[in-house]
Every structure is written in C-alpha cells, then in structure tokens.
Amino acid sequence: MTKEQLSQLGKTLWAIADDLRGAMNADDFRDYMLSFLFLRYLSDNYEAAAKKELGPDYPKLADDDRRAPLAVWYEDNAEDVAAFEKQMRRKMHYVIHPDYLWSSIAELARTQDEELLQTLAGGFKHIENESFASTFQGLFSEINLRSEKLGRTLADQNKKLCTIITKIAKGIARFSTGSDILGDAYEYLIGQFAAGSGKKAGEFYTPQSVSTILSRIVTLDSQEPSTGKKKKLNRVLDFACGSGSLLLNVRNQMGPRGIGMIYGQEKNITTYNLARMNMLLHGMKDTEFQIHHGDTLENDWAILNERNPAKKLQCDAVVANPPFSYRWQPSEAMGEDFRFKSHGLAPKSAADFAFLLHGLHFLSDEGTMAIVLPHGVLFRGGAEARIRTKLLKDGHIDTVIGLPSNLFFSTGIPVCILVLKKCKKPDDVLFINASEHFEKGKRQNALRPEDMDKIVDTYQYRKEEERYARRVSMEEIEKNDDNLNISRYVSTAKPEPEVDLGDVHKKLTAIEQRISQTKETHNRFLKALGLPIFTSR
C-alpha cells in the first residue's frame, strides 16, 4: 500500500470517527473504532484462508445473497465443521464462527437488525475465549456496548452501533484491504487519536520517528554496529510497550522471520488490549508474542521474576519509552531486588532509572538497549548521580543522544535516548546533539528522514562532527563528576565571526568624511536661508 493510499484510508476512517462519535470523547470512541477494524482484519484473513482450504467446495453465492459464504458451508456441512476448524487452527492459529465474521456483522448493521448488539457481544466473547488456542481474555473489556453514550435505551444503542459499523464498512470497502493494510490503518488511527488526546497520549504512543531511531539502533550489531544489522534477534523486550508500535517497528526492521519472540508489558488495561490487537493486526501469530498486563516496577510478570540466573530471560534488544519522571513508592525490600541491588533505588520523585535498570537486567551480553528518558537523568544529583556513576564505571552507557523539544504528545520538553550495552567495546561515550535538526510544526516538531538517518549513521560509525557529535573519554567524564549533560561535551555555540580591525577603521573614516561633507552642505543651505548654522558640540 502506497503512503498516499494509506493516508487516504486513514483520513477516510478518521473522518468517520470524527463524524460519528458525537458526545463520546475521542478516547472512548477509539476503542470502538479500532476493535471493529480488528474484527474486520481477523475476518478477512480467515475467510481468505477458508476459501483456499475449501477450494471448489467454498460456496459461490448469488449477487443478491448477502450471507457470508462460510455460514452457508457450515449449514450444509455440519458434520465436517470440527475437522475444518482443526485444520484452520493449524494453519491460521484461530477460528471465527460464521455468525461473528465481519461480513455477517456488517449485514446485520446494514439491515438495522435488532439483534446486532447481542450478536456483537457474543462475537467478542467468542474471540476472547474460543478463537485462539491461547485465550485472549478481556481483549474487548474496555468496549462497553451498553454505554449510555451510544444511547439511553437498548434500541438506541443498537441503532447507533448499526450506523457506526455501516459507515466503517462502506469506508473500508473503497480500498483494497490486503493483510498489511488494515494494520497500517490501525497504526495511523492510533497516531491520530494520540494527537487528539494530547498529554494522555504519552501513555500509549511513541512518535514514529523516535520509534524508528530506537529500532534501527537496537537491530545493528552491538559490538560492531558498522558491520550492519544482526541476522536475527532471538528475543525483544519493551517493558512499557503502550500500543506496541515500538515492538512492531523493531520487527519491521528485521522482517517477520528476523525475530524469535516478542515480549511486551503494559500497565494500562486499555492500552494493553490495543497492543494485543496491534500484534495480531500486523500478521503475528499468537505464538510469536507475549504481552503481559501488569506493573513493570513491581515486576509482577512471572517470566521476568525468575531468580535463577541460568533461567533468566535474556533479550538481544530492549526498547522502551517509559513515562517520564514517574512518581513511585519503592519499599525497603525493593532495595534488595535483583534489578536494583547493585545500583541503588531511583528516588521517589522520578522512576526513570528504575525503568532503565529493569530493562538492563534483562539485556543479554550481546544485546543493545535504547530507552527514551527526560534530560534530567543526565545530570540530576543524589541517588541518580550514584546510579549514573555505577553505570559509567561498569561500561554500560554507550551513547547519549539529545533530541529536539516538542516531539512528543505528552510533553514539550526535549528528551534523550540512552543506548546501553552489557559489553561495549569503545572506552568512551558518544554524545550526539540532534536538538537543532528538525522540522518545526504548528503543534509538534518532527524529525525528517534525513535527521533520523544522520543520528543512526553517526551512532553506527561512531562519527565525530563539530557542534553535532563527539566521543568523550571516561577520564573527561569523570572529571565532570560523571555529569552527562550533552552541552558539556558538544558545544552548540556558534563561533563569533573574525573582525578585521583595519577594514573597520577604513569604514569608520569613510563614514566620518561623509558626515563632514553632509554637514557642510547642510550649513550652506541654512546660511542661504538666514538661519543659524549647525555646529558640533
């Protein structure tokens, strides 16, 4: 799908959302819109696979027959349904009963069927509990089909849902919807809803430009980035994954077969559901990813709470955009937590280093971690200074990248990317000051493709460039009390132009001569008019 087609599809769907949500706020309507796109995606793929599997037995219906062909086959071949679904589970990893396919739901909506709401509710439960081998419990838990925002009565709610689904069906029907297109449209809408949500969007959305930089960095060889990408990443982790776009960006960089397993964690239930849908919408099988709903700082995910070092999850790439300066309440016992014990606890006022240490713990010796954090982590004192010093002395901080301000929906402050490794080769830290390289926008600033390329290229080849990038020795950093403030090492001040005093003297002399000549002419006119002449004081 071309960028123009994607943009047009996205704009069409966004216009539908904007037109239909009425009294409902954007965040609430987002869940309906994206869930229906998700159902459409699952249905399209399933029906296409069923048609291929059944071959000539797949029903061909008359043009005026609006039933789902698979529904007709189920009616005529009841004794073969179990075998068919077993085969489809093997090939597709899921099944959908014909009653709950998008084509069936859309037809109920088109005909304003009073059973739409009940059927849709049944369909959501079916997908959560029966479609996949691994249950997706609560996948649609945030969608209230009985919300008064849809209408006060059951009939009103049913009517509103009929309108929404019919509009979406017509809007999508104008476009050829291949397997990746609805996934791209889903990402587009997440971005649009994020823009409309302002600061709240920071909970679930990383700007694509920043996401791309992180993804390109962690997919390069950790020891010799100049040699290019790794052939495969066995495990990738984002412990604050939001809607999952950052994980999908890493997958996009490596290709569908370039990653063994994806792990994501998200505390917000709505965003957690978005992430699970997003994975499936981008063609991932439910066996290729694990998204956990839970608190990263409490580390309540059993797979990450393994205390046996031999069984510890080790990831080749760790990426994250955790909430900035998040206030937390670490207990005394947390000081002995295996993630923090050797570094110390981050202060209650800002959990930034707690998130960083969590991710670093699960990074493999040959892996790369890239995390987005506020600039304060580079220079704040107290407990954070002690953690920073420990990370530097252990050789874990590889690169510090300063980004422009106002890139994020959640904050206007400039942020940085820290690149960390367990075993880095260079005995220095690369500082990149990219804060002045961006395109200014009305609401948000943006990184252009050339800006992103320059950052990644500088990191990959460890380049130095005046006023942009510099490799700084550990001795120099130590002399600065392990302060990593970028301006200490990469000066952004423009040099004053050299002044030729001889040339300046000539110009001043010429100016004085012109003043004298002008004064003489002026006085002649005054004298001719009988007025007092001008004299210098």
Side-chain angles (χ1 to χ4, degrees):
M1 189 180 200
T2 66
K3 285 187 177 180
E4 186 177 343
Q5 288 173 323
L6 173 60
S7 177
Q8 191 56 49
L9 173 57
K11 287 176 181 176
T12 298
L13 293 172
W14 181 248
I16 292 170
D18 210 34
D19 179 52
L20 292 177
R21 67 184 180 89
M24 195 178 296
N25 65 46
D27 287 343
D28 288 335
F29 193 80
R30 175 193 66 205
D31 300 328
Y32 292 93
M33 190 82 178
L34 296 179
S35 295
F36 294 148
L37 271 186
F38 177 64
L39 178 59
R40 167 68 191 264
Y41 171 83
L42 289 182
S43 299
D44 281 4
N45 278 7
Y46 189 72
E47 287 184 292
K51 186 175 183 179
K52 185 176 180 181
E53 180 66 25
L54 294 174
D57 292 333
Y58 191 77
K60 294 180 181 179
L61 306 182
D63 291 341
D64 60 348
D65 191 337
R66 305 295 291 265
R67 293 175 298 170
L70 205 53
V72 175
W73 186 88
Y74 265 58
E75 289 175 11
D76 296 342
N77 301 274
E79 69 282 359
D80 297 324
V81 167
F84 168 75
E85 289 189 347
K86 183 178 180 180
Q87 181 70 355
M88 291 299 287
R89 283 189 188 280
R90 189 178 70 82
K91 290 191 172 183
M92 295 295 293
H93 287 253
Y94 68 93
V95 297
I96 300 180
H97 191 279
D99 288 350
Y100 306 131
L101 290 168
W102 172 259
S103 54
S104 299
I105 297 293
E107 179 60 14
L108 290 178
R110 187 188 71 82
T111 57
Q112 297 282 307
D113 195 296
E114 61 184 17
E115 293 298 316
L116 170 71
L117 195 153
Q118 295 288 357
T119 304
L120 194 57
F124 285 168
K125 286 183 179 179
H126 170 75
I127 292 171
E128 287 181 340
N129 301 317
E130 300 174 39
S131 286
F132 296 86
S134 52
T135 64
F136 279 76
Q137 190 66 41
L139 190 62
F140 301 98
S141 63
E142 293 301 286
I143 303 166
N144 184 4
L145 296 176
R146 298 293 180 85
S147 171
E148 287 196 0
K149 294 176 182 178
L150 289 171
R152 292 189 176 183
T153 67
L154 189 65
D156 289 340
Q157 293 161 3
N158 196 80
K159 186 177 180 181
K160 180 71 172 180
L161 285 170
C162 285
T163 303
I164 293 172
I165 292 170
T166 300
K167 287 272 189 179
I168 293 174
K170 286 182 179 178
I172 295 176
R174 295 171 45 202
F175 301 89
S176 172
T177 50
S179 61
D180 62 331
I181 291 174
L182 287 179
D184 290 340
Y186 188 89
E187 282 283 313
Y188 178 94
L189 284 175
I190 285 177
Q192 290 296 104
F193 279 114
S197 297
K199 290 188 176 181
K200 290 175 67 178
E203 298 174 5
F204 66 89
Y205 189 74
T206 302
Q208 279 296 315
S209 58
V210 178
S211 176
T212 298
I213 292 170
L214 267 64
S215 303
R216 289 174 64 181
I217 284 174
V218 300
T219 52
L220 292 170
D221 186 89
S222 62
Q223 298 302 304
E224 298 289 350
S226 60
T227 60
K229 285 184 183 179
K230 287 185 174 182
K231 290 183 179 179
K232 185 163 186 177
L233 299 174
N234 291 317
R235 300 176 189 88
V236 179
L237 169 67
D238 182 349
F239 52 81
C241 70
S243 60
S245 61
L246 184 46
L247 285 168
L248 288 167
N249 213 323
V250 176
R251 181 175 182 264
N252 185 52
Q253 294 294 327
M254 295 298 295
R257 296 170 184 253
I259 294 178
M261 190 70 179
I262 279 177
Y263 297 90
Q265 182 162 2
E266 176 54 41
K267 185 177 180 180
N268 181 288
I269 182 67
T270 303
T271 314
Y272 159 68
N273 287 332
L274 285 180
R276 293 194 290 172
M277 289 185 194
N278 211 1
M279 296 295 129
L280 294 167
L281 266 164
H282 282 84
M284 294 189 69
K285 298 181 177 67
D286 59 324
T287 54
E288 295 175 333
F289 68 91
Q290 289 188 45
I291 308 292
H292 176 70
H293 176 230
D295 190 321
T296 296
L297 297 177
E298 294 292 337
N299 202 22
D300 55 10
W301 192 3
I303 200 170
L304 298 184
N305 214 349
E306 176 57 62
R307 298 181 182 278
N308 184 343
K311 296 181 179 180
K312 182 181 76 171
L313 182 72
Q314 297 190 65
C315 300
D316 298 323
V318 177
V319 289
N321 173 27
F324 301 149
S325 299
Y326 179 76
R327 299 187 71 86
W328 68 317
Q329 297 294 328
S331 63
E332 286 186 22
M334 222 173 237
E336 295 299 311
D337 188 290
F338 53 76
R339 299 167 296 164
F340 312 132
K341 187 175 181 178
S342 58
H343 293 80
L345 288 173
K348 293 180 180 180
S349 58
D352 302 308
F353 271 116
F355 284 118
L356 183 151
L357 292 172
H358 176 91
L360 184 64
H361 181 78
F362 299 106
L363 184 67
S364 71
D365 289 345
E366 297 297 318
T368 304
M369 174 177 171
I371 182 171
V372 183
L373 294 170
H375 266 271
V377 300
L378 303 178
F379 54 81
R380 289 191 297 240
E384 290 183 298
R386 291 190 291 274
I387 295 172
R388 192 167 56 242
T389 295
K390 173 69 172 168
L391 289 168
L392 285 165
K393 290 191 182 302
D394 290 347
H396 292 327
I397 299 179
D398 179 89
T399 303
V400 179
I401 304 169
L403 297 177
S405 60
N406 207 30
L407 288 178
F408 287 73
F409 296 113
S410 54
T411 180
I413 64 171
V415 299
C416 65
I417 296 172
L418 287 185
V419 181
L420 300 106
K421 298 173 184 178
K422 287 283 183 72
C423 305
K424 75 182 181 84
K425 274 193 173 182
D427 189 27
D428 57 37
V429 175
L430 175 64
F431 287 84
I432 300 175
N433 179 16
S435 61
E436 297 180 349
H437 299 259
F438 64 94
E439 182 177 54
K440 191 168 181 61
K442 290 182 179 179
R443 295 180 63 185
Q444 307 291 142
N445 293 329
L447 292 172
R448 299 160 296 192
E450 58 266 31
D451 300 326
M452 293 184 278
D453 289 342
K454 187 176 178 68
I455 290 171
V456 176
D457 188 62
T458 302
Y459 163 78
Q460 182 174 4
Y461 299 102
R462 221 160 179 81
K463 293 180 177 179
E464 293 188 280
E465 181 183 324
E466 189 176 358
R467 298 186 69 249
Y468 187 76
R470 182 176 164 230
R471 297 174 64 171
V472 181
S473 69
M474 302 307 293
E475 290 77 15
E476 183 177 346
I477 294 172
E478 189 175 354
K479 286 178 183 177
N480 279 302
D481 298 321
D482 297 325
N483 188 313
L484 297 179
N485 204 352
I486 298 170
S487 60
R488 285 189 177 227
Y489 307 103
V490 183
S491 175
T492 59
K494 294 181 180 179
E496 293 287 339
E498 292 186 4
V499 178
D500 186 334
L501 294 178
D503 184 55
V504 172
H505 179 71
K506 286 180 182 179
K507 289 178 179 178
L508 288 173
T509 301
I511 291 170
E512 286 181 354
Q513 287 177 350
R514 288 201 300 275
I515 290 172
S516 179
Q517 291 169 359
T518 303
K519 178 182 171 185
E520 288 178 7
T521 302
H522 183 64
N523 280 342
R524 284 200 302 271
F525 288 135
L526 292 174
K527 189 174 182 180
L529 293 169
L531 297 172
I533 62 173
F534 178 80
T535 57
S536 300
R537 292 180 180 177

